[in-house]
Amino acid sequence: MTAAQNAAPQGASAAKPREEWTGQVGFILAAIGSAVGLGNIWRFPGVAYENGGGAFLIPYLVALITAGIPILFLDYALGHRFRGASPTAFRRVGGAFGRWTESLGWFQVAIAFVIGLYYTAVIAWALSYFVFSFDLRWGDDTAGFLTGEYLQVGEPGVSFEFVPGVLIPLAIVWIAAIVVLALGVAKGLQRVNVIFLPLLVVAFTILVVRALFLDGAAEGLNALFTPDWEALANPNVWIAAYSQIFFSLSIAFGIMITYASYRKRRANLTSPGLVVAFANSSFEILAGIGVFATLGFFAFQQGVGVDELEGLTGVGLSFITFPAIVSQMPGGPIFGVLFFGSLVMAGFTSLISVLQVVSAAVQEKFRLTPRSAAVGVGIVSAVLSILLFSTTTGLLALDTTDQWANNIGIVLSAVLTTILVIWVLRKGPELRYHLNAVSTFKVGGVWIVLVGVLAPIVLGYMLVSRIITLVVEGYADLPEWYLLLFGWGTIAFTLIAAIVMTMLKWRDSPDDFTAWPPYRDERGAAATGAKEDAR
C-alpha cells in the first residue's frame, strides 16, 4: 500500500473530502460541549441527593466505567471506522444486512430530531431569564411568574395561541443554531465550542465560588455529600446511577458516531474519550457543589432544612427555585446572569450536536452540501418547534415528549445497538481491534463483555420498568389521550420516520466503501498485533 493510499479516506463514492475537525483539541472540546448540557446542571445534583448523597458517587463511578465509557468507545469506533453519520455507519457495519441495519441509524436520527425541537425551547427560556436577571423581573412569586405571566400555561391540548415572550427568543436560538450548522464542522461547531466551553467553565466556577461563601452553604453541601451507605443496597439507586451516566454523555443516539466520523485517520480515539467522560463527570460534580451550596443558603433564609425544599431538579430548580434564591441573595442580579448565561451556553453547545446528527444524515443520504442540509433541516425544525413549544401548551408538550424520547427512545436505541453490533453482526472484535489500532489506551476483551452483556441487561431493565410505569401509572396526571398523542406518539413517529427514511433511495451508494485498514507505522509494522477485517 502506498503512502497516499494509507493516508487517504477510503470510499470511492465521496464527491469531495469529508469535513474534519482541525485537530484533537477541537474534537475534544466539541465532544465535551455536547456532553455538558442542561442535565449536568439541573439533573445530577438532585439525582445524587435523592439516591444516597455522597454514597451515590460509588455507583455513579461504577456506571461510568462499566457502561458510559464502553458505549462511548463503541460510538467512536462505529463512526470513525465506517466514516459516516448514524444511518451511513449502520448501513456499512451491517454488510449484507445493511438495508435493515440502516433503519437503526435513522431511528437515532429521528430521536435527535425530536429532542432538538423541544431542547431549543428550554434554551429560549434560559435566554429570557438571562435578560430577566438584570431587573429580577420574576418578582416574589417565581412559580406563578413562570407558569402564568411568562409561559401562560393552558390546559392539556393543542393550542395555536402563541406566547410572544417565548416565540421571539426561540426564533433567535434557531437562527443562531442554523448559522452555526451552516458554517460547517470546523468553522461552525468547533469554533462555537472553543469559545463557549471555556466561557461556561469560567462563568460557572465564579458562580460556585460565590455560592460557597453564602450563609448556609455548608449545610447545603452536607445535605448533598453526607453518605447514606444503606442506599447502596437499593437496586434503584444503581439504576439511577446508570441512567444519569447514560443520559449525560450524549451516547447511543448518533451524536458521538457523527462526531467521530469527522476525525482524521490517525486519530486517537480512546484517550480523548476518557478525557471527555471524566470532564463531563467533573462538571457534574462542580454543578452539584454550586447548586447545593446555593440551596443551603435558600434553606437558611427560609429557616428550614434542605430536605424540606421543593423543586430540586429540572425546570423547577432552574426557573422557580433559583430565581427565588437570586432575589434574596446579595448581588443577586449578577448571580442570575451567571447562572442563566451558563444554562444558555451549556444548552446551545449540546443543541448543535443534536442537530448535527440530523443534518449530517440528511446531507449524506441526499448528497447535499453541509450548508444546504443545515438550512433545510434547520428551517423545518424551527417551524415545528415554534408551532409546538411557543404556545400556551408548550410546557406540557415539552415535558411529555421529553419523558418518552429520553426514557424510551434513547434507551431502546442503546439496547438495540449493543445487541445488534455485538451479538447479531458479531462486530465486537473488529471494532476493538480498530480502537486499539489507532489509540494509545488499549481496550481488552472485557470491553466486549461490558458492551454486549452488562449494558443491554441494565438498560433493558431500565427500559422495561419505565414502560410498565408509564403504561400503568401514566404521567403527571395528564389525560390518557394526551399521553398517547405526545408520549407514545413520539415513539411512533421515530419508528415510522426510520422506516420511511430507510426506504428512500440514496443519491450515492453508501455501500461503495472500504473501511480503514489497520494503521501502519513508519516501519511498516501494524500498530497492533491483532488481525483486522479491512473490508
Side-chain angles (χ1 to χ4, degrees):
M1 179 176 292
T2 66
Q5 288 173 317
N6 195 47
Q10 305 295 305
S13 65
K16 59 178 64 177
R18 183 175 180 79
E19 290 188 283
E20 292 180 339
W21 307 106
T22 59
Q24 182 160 282
V25 173
F27 166 73
I28 290 175
L29 289 177
I32 294 174
S34 173
V36 173
L38 299 175
N40 296 67
I41 298 174
W42 75 19
R43 191 175 190 272
F44 172 79
V47 170
Y49 172 70
E50 294 169 357
N51 290 277
F56 179 76
L57 294 178
I58 294 177
Y60 177 83
L61 289 174
V62 171
L64 175 66
I65 294 170
T66 61
I69 292 175
I71 296 179
L72 182 66
F73 286 173
L74 176 64
D75 279 354
Y76 282 179
L78 285 169
H80 188 254
R81 180 161 178 76
F82 296 100
R83 304 295 290 169
S86 205
T88 308
F90 278 106
R91 170 92 176 208
R92 289 169 174 169
V93 76
F97 303 100
R99 187 65 182 271
W100 299 98
T101 56
E102 178 190 336
S103 59
L104 177 55
W106 285 112
F107 179 61
Q108 294 187 348
V109 171
I111 293 170
F113 177 77
V114 170
I115 291 175
L117 298 184
Y118 67 78
Y119 202 83
T120 318
V122 182
I123 300 171
W125 300 351
L127 185 60
S128 294
Y129 270 67
F130 174 80
V131 176
F132 298 161
S133 296
F134 287 95
D135 59 3
L136 307 181
R137 197 172 309 175
W138 46 72
D140 296 328
D141 184 8
T142 56
F145 176 84
L146 174 67
T147 59
E149 185 175 342
Y150 179 57
L151 296 179
Q152 301 175 25
V153 177
E155 295 298 319
V158 179
S159 168
F160 292 102
E161 183 180 348
F162 294 97
V163 181
V166 178
L167 190 153
I168 294 173
L170 182 56
I172 292 173
V173 173
W174 273 113
I175 292 171
I178 293 172
V179 169
V180 171
L181 292 178
L183 289 173
V185 170
K187 295 181 179 179
L189 277 73
Q190 179 174 309
R191 186 169 295 174
V192 165
N193 281 283
V194 168
I195 296 172
F196 273 22
L197 195 61
L199 281 177
L200 169 63
V201 172
V202 170
F204 208 81
T205 301
I206 294 172
L207 183 150
V208 170
V209 171
R210 176 69 186 93
L212 290 175
F213 288 94
L214 293 171
D215 293 333
E219 285 70 22
L221 295 179
N222 287 336
L224 174 61
F225 289 114
T226 299
D228 176 10
W229 299 114
E230 294 181 0
L232 297 181
N234 184 351
N236 290 329
V237 171
W238 290 83
I239 294 299
Y242 278 90
S243 176
Q244 177 61 30
I245 285 294
F246 183 73
F247 291 129
S248 70
L249 269 181
S250 297
I251 53 179
F253 66 109
I255 293 177
M256 292 306 169
I257 291 177
T258 304
Y259 271 25
S261 73
Y262 297 125
R263 297 219 63 190
K264 300 179 188 296
R265 185 187 174 197
R266 296 181 62 174
N268 194 342
L269 297 179
T270 55
S271 295
L274 295 175
V275 173
V276 171
F278 285 105
N280 175 70
S281 295
S282 297
F283 189 88
E284 288 195 317
I285 294 174
L286 178 68
I289 293 172
V291 167
F292 268 82
T294 310
L295 290 174
F297 165 78
F298 192 45
F300 176 81
Q301 293 294 107
Q302 302 292 316
V304 299
V306 174
D307 59 338
E308 298 177 63
L309 296 176
E310 297 180 355
L312 301 184
T313 59
V315 173
L317 172 68
S318 297
F319 298 102
I320 297 176
T321 304
F322 256 87
I325 296 172
V326 168
S327 295
Q328 294 187 21
M329 65 186 301
I334 297 176
F335 193 90
V337 166
L338 288 173
F339 178 76
F340 290 109
S342 296
L343 280 185
V344 171
M345 289 186 287
F348 191 77
T349 54
S350 295
L351 171 67
I352 56 177
S353 70
V354 171
L355 297 178
Q356 183 64 21
V357 173
V358 186
S359 179
V362 171
Q363 174 190 337
E364 292 171 9
K365 182 87 175 187
F366 301 109
R367 199 174 64 194
L368 301 175
T369 64
R371 179 171 300 177
S372 58
V375 172
V377 168
I379 291 176
V380 172
S381 300
V383 170
L384 292 174
S385 178
I386 289 171
L387 287 175
L388 289 171
F389 303 111
S390 66
T391 67
T392 55
T393 55
L395 174 61
L396 299 177
L398 186 153
D399 189 26
T400 306
T401 304
D402 176 63
Q403 279 293 319
W404 267 260
N406 272 287
N407 293 290
I408 305 298
I410 295 181
V411 180
L412 176 60
S413 168
V415 173
L416 293 177
T417 298
T418 53
I419 293 176
L420 173 71
V421 173
I422 302 300
W423 294 106
V424 179
L425 300 176
R426 302 283 182 166
K427 292 291 184 177
E430 177 182 338
L431 295 175
R432 180 171 76 89
Y433 296 154
H434 180 78
L435 287 171
N436 289 340
V438 299
S439 304
T440 53
F441 178 83
K442 310 300 182 183
V443 296
V446 68
W447 174 73
I448 299 177
V449 175
L450 294 175
V451 173
V453 179
L454 181 64
I457 289 175
V458 174
L459 298 176
Y461 177 83
M462 287 169 50
L463 177 64
V464 172
S465 61
R466 190 57 182 165
I467 290 175
I468 292 174
T469 300
L470 291 173
V471 170
V472 174
E473 301 178 9
Y475 179 70
D477 296 324
L478 291 169
E480 185 175 343
W481 70 266
Y482 191 82
L483 299 181
L484 287 173
L485 178 62
F486 284 98
W488 299 111
T490 294
I491 302 302
F493 166 78
T494 56
L495 293 172
I496 293 171
I499 295 172
V500 171
M501 293 301 295
T502 301
M503 293 175 63
L504 295 178
K505 185 178 180 179
W506 288 77
R507 291 292 299 274
D508 288 319
S509 173
D511 303 323
D512 184 14
F513 170 84
T514 302
W516 293 127
Y519 173 69
R520 296 178 181 276
D521 63 20
E522 291 75 6
R523 297 170 298 175
T528 65
K531 294 181 179 179
E532 182 179 10
D533 179 5
R535 289 180 299 165

